Amino acid sequence: MTSRPRRLLFFLAIVLIAAFSVLPFLWFVATSLKTQMEATAIPPTLIPSFSLAFYRSALEEYHLLHYLKNSVIVAGAATAGTIGISLFAGYALARLPLRRKPLIMGSLLLVAMFPQISIAGPVWQILDALGWLNSYQGLILPYITLSLPLGVWIMTGFFRELPRELEDAARVDGCGHLQTLFRVIVPLAAPGVFTAAILVFIYAWNEFFFALLIMTQQPYQTLPVGIALFQGQYTIPWGEIAAASTIATIPLVLLVLLFQRRIVRGLSAGAVKG
Amino acid sequence: MAILTRRIHYPSPRRRREGLFAAALLFPCFAFIAIFAFYPIIHSLYLSLHRIVLGLPGLTQPFVYLENYLQLWGDAVARHALTNTFLFVAVSTACEMLLGLAMALAINRGFRGRGLIRAAVLIPWAIPTVVASQMWRFINNDHYGLLNYLLFGSDLASYRAWLADPTFAMVAVVVADVWKTSAFAALIILAGLQTIPDELHEAARLDGATAWQRFTRITLPLLKPALLIALLFRTMDAFRVFDLVFVMTQGGPADATNVLQFYGYKKMFAEGLLGYGATVSVLVFLVVLTLSLIYVRFLGRGLMEERP
């Protein structure tokens, strides 16, 4: 494996993989930094002049901040809700005597896998009946439901790896179930909570299908809906779309760069242990 | 010791209390899933047996037996969407598994800058699908797109509207999906690779096995559970492709990229045919349920074989 041509080949493969992953998006970022002239030049200009005109236009004419605010509210609340609920459920599934655990875990997996369309109509009807279409809670509640399987799976896996002696010691010291949970388990769960929170946040930040159904009015729309429906008067505003896309992606790229180990571990949780 | 004696003396009340506590902890989770997931699935079945048109409150919503299903059976567009969906799932999943395996094998080898490559690979996975869709739509653009530029340079006469061509539109959607999600497959496979002990490869090498033999006789068999899990998740996720189609092609041209989830969405929310749309959604659910049961059977067996 140390022969030179082989090494070169391996190096080439790595470079290709990295280029394939990063270059298309870098080109979109470059587009967002062009002037109108550069963005609509034929053939395309490769190097932008780092103009912020499209960002200004996206903020002022396309109300980018407004979509950003809605996304922060919805994704933030959905993450908090999911984490709270899956913390308890995960502890119960990992530690307490329950019958039919495999069935419970399996049905959670089913919820994580079925296509959104198979629940879309009735979910829309429920929210319509409650008057919650075009409201934050109208989107937060389905998001919590659909990200619960992910949250519960990660938390269950995490609690299983915590040593049991800690709880036993707490019991011996006379702590009840609730006390053990809040005084001993919750503080220890921070790393698991954090991993689950990152993944749930990314899910909620990126979700489009339900956002499109439920938020039909512009004041409540989230970033993905805004970006999908950006429309100029006569043409497609590519520069503004690219600018909004870059802004929507920055938080995610930061999360990936800062926490890639956690993300990798969270995503492959259960995959290794089976 | 204290715990031991307590367990021996009062086993049953304590267990019952623990069971109640567990049920209380699980209750919020199941309340959500019952209301927003299980009930909607069952209610879709009810809706699919009725004729319901949204936005016409004066209209009655009669029970029509299997009329919607008969209509679906004869619906050429739905059949086309079904074929497209299977085609999309098969091709994109196969490409993602192969590319994911290649990525995982590359990243698994120790080299400097490995963390950087792993982060680079994760970026497409983290990008919102809508953003990736707009990006690929722009890349395929007939005037300003990168694809035309890379292929034809400044020979403007050759520039093509890729997404207006039925075949290329499907290819473009598959490419966008492969770009976005191969990293996910790679991560699952990578996790599997890291459980394979180096000693096995070492021993095989001493016995004179070639790199290819070691790959097919050691790596692949031991990787089977991870590969199956990646395959399961990717297949199920590919089945609900929607964002890419909505943004890049709107199902066109001429329904060439129309897929089931998009078709159901259009019937329900663009045309307001809630009953008929629900019929489509029942079909999609049954297809996915059947597939996942088949996978889980294989997965169970695959995992059993790994147990020593």
Side-chain angles (χ1 to χ4, degrees), chain B residues 162-210:
Chain B
W162 298 100
L163 295 179
D165 177 296
T167 311
F168 283 115
M170 189 50 137
V171 173
V173 175
V174 169
V175 167
D177 194 63
V178 170
W179 179 79
K180 169 114 182 64
T181 55
S182 290
F184 178 83
L187 289 182
I188 303 286
I189 297 170
L190 184 62
L193 274 177
Q194 283 166 351
T195 60
I196 301 177
D198 287 335
E199 291 80 23
L200 281 178
H201 281 278
E202 213 51 59
R205 200 183 328 211
L206 288 177
D207 289 345
T210 64

Side-chain angles (χ1 to χ4, degrees), chain A residues 53-72:
Chain A
F54 283 138
Y55 286 86
R56 192 170 304 128
S57 160
L59 288 172
E60 287 167 6
E61 285 164 47
Y62 291 88
H63 315 289
L64 183 59
L65 278 183
H66 178 88
Y67 295 115
L68 197 63
K69 184 192 81 182
N70 291 339
S71 269
V72 169

Side-chain angles (χ1 to χ4, degrees), chain B residues 121-138:
Chain B
V121 164
L122 267 179
I123 283 175
W125 168 80
I127 285 176
T129 315
V130 167
V131 168
S133 314
Q134 288 284 25
M135 184 190 92
W136 282 102
R137 183 172 163 223
F138 189 49

Side-chain angles (χ1 to χ4, degrees), chain A residues 78-214:
Chain A
T79 307
T82 302
I83 294 304
I85 296 170
S86 45
L87 187 68
F88 295 137
Y91 177 68
L93 284 167
R95 278 294 201 265
L96 297 174
L98 272 172
R99 272 174 298 170
R100 307 219 165 82
K101 266 186 203 175
L103 182 74
I104 296 176
M105 296 303 272
S107 53
L108 280 173
L109 198 63
L110 186 71
V111 171
M113 284 194 298
F114 61 54
Q116 298 94 321
I117 188 76
S118 54
I119 60 170
V123 165
W124 187 90
Q125 283 185 313
I126 294 173
L127 296 173
D128 187 36
L130 292 167
W132 284 357
L133 295 172
N134 291 299
S135 76
Y136 291 130
Q137 68 271 29
L139 196 52
I140 292 167
L141 295 180
Y143 280 7
I144 290 179
T145 311
L146 293 174
S147 57
L148 268 174
L150 182 68
V152 173
W153 270 80
I154 292 178
M155 292 314 300
T156 307
F158 181 81
F159 283 131
R160 274 197 189 132
E161 284 177 7
L162 279 186
R164 227 175 235 280
E165 288 78 27
L166 292 164
E167 292 152 81
D168 289 341
R171 293 274 162 71
V172 174
D173 290 346
C175 282
H177 284 302
L178 266 181
Q179 264 186 321
T180 312
L181 182 59
F182 281 103
R183 296 242 177 108
V184 182
I185 301 299
V186 172
L188 285 173
V193 164
F194 196 62
T195 306
I198 294 171
L199 292 177
V200 171
F201 182 83
I202 291 178
Y203 162 79
W205 186 263
N206 294 355
E207 207 283 338
F208 175 62
F209 184 80
F210 281 104
L212 182 70
L213 295 190
I214 294 166

Side-chain angles (χ1 to χ4, degrees), chain B:
Chain B
M1 213 37 213
I3 310 159
L4 251 175
T5 44
R6 216 201 286 171
R7 255 188 207 149
I8 289 162
H9 281 298
Y10 319 100
S12 137
R14 179 177 164 184
R15 272 189 86 81
R16 197 182 303 149
R17 256 187 305 139
E18 282 192 329
L20 275 177
F21 185 55
L25 289 179
L26 278 171
F27 177 75
C29 177
F30 272 82
F32 266 92
I33 286 180
I35 296 171
F36 286 106
F38 288 152
Y39 162 74
I41 288 177
I42 293 162
H43 195 63
S44 285
L45 199 63
Y46 168 87
L47 294 177
S48 73
L49 301 172
H50 292 73
R51 188 184 304 130
I52 303 169
V53 182
L54 283 177
L56 297 173
L59 217 64
T60 54
Q61 307 186 337
F63 178 72
V64 293
Y65 299 95
L66 294 176
E67 191 188 286
N68 286 327
Y69 288 88
L70 289 175
Q71 196 187 334
L72 186 64
W73 183 251
D75 184 340
V77 181
R79 206 168 290 182
H80 196 158
L82 184 71
T83 331
N84 283 339
T85 308
F86 273 111
L87 188 71
F88 175 84
V89 170
V91 177
S92 67
T93 308
C95 294
E96 283 151 20
M97 291 300 293
L98 283 176
L99 196 62
L101 180 62
M103 283 176 171
L105 287 171
I107 297 176
N108 192 40
R109 291 186 41 175
F111 60 92
R112 269 198 302 167
R114 188 174 126 174
L116 212 63
I117 296 294
R118 198 167 51 181
V121 164
L122 267 179
I123 283 175
W125 168 80
I127 285 176
T129 315
V130 167
V131 168
S133 314
Q134 288 284 25
M135 184 190 92
W136 282 102
R137 183 172 163 223
F138 189 49
I139 288 175
N140 286 291
N141 186 277
D142 50 346
H143 299 299
Y144 324 122
L146 193 61
L147 183 62
N148 276 321
Y149 181 64
L150 290 178
L151 289 176
F152 307 117
S154 44
D155 173 21
L156 302 186
S158 308
Y159 277 29
R160 301 179 57 170
W162 298 100
L163 295 179
D165 177 296
T167 311
F168 283 115
M170 189 50 137
V171 173
V173 175
V174 169
V175 167
D177 194 63
V178 170
W179 179 79
K180 169 114 182 64
T181 55
S182 290
F184 178 83
L187 289 182
I188 303 286
I189 297 170
L190 184 62
L193 274 177
Q194 283 166 351
T195 60
I196 301 177
D198 287 335
E199 291 80 23
L200 281 178
H201 281 278
E202 213 51 59
R205 200 183 328 211
L206 288 177
D207 289 345
T210 64
W212 177 250
Q213 281 174 326
R214 274 179 281 138
F215 177 69
T216 52
R217 304 274 172 83
I218 298 175
T219 311
L220 275 187
L222 288 177
L223 210 51
K224 204 173 132 199
L227 287 172
L228 277 171
I229 287 171
L231 186 65
L232 168 78
F233 276 101
R234 281 312 317 144
T235 312
M236 297 305 144
D237 201 41
F239 251 102
R240 47 187 174 189
V241 55
F242 177 81
D243 307 12
L244 287 169
V245 166
F246 184 92
V247 173
M248 286 176 75
T249 62
Q250 283 284 318
D255 288 318
T257 56
N258 202 348
V259 285
L260 283 176
Q261 174 128 306
F262 185 73
Y263 185 65
Y265 162 82
K266 261 175 66 173
K267 283 289 160 199
M268 261 190 230
F269 297 100
E271 297 174 31
L273 302 172
L274 198 59
Y276 190 63
T279 316
V280 176
S281 73
V282 170
L283 170 77
V284 176
F285 179 72
L286 290 180
V287 170
V288 168
L289 187 68
T290 313
L291 256 177
S292 58
L293 289 179
I294 294 173
Y295 268 128
V296 167
R297 263 192 86 99
F298 273 105
L299 207 62
R301 202 186 301 160
L303 287 174
M304 287 305 186
E305 281 169 10
E306 288 324 304
R307 295 280 174 264

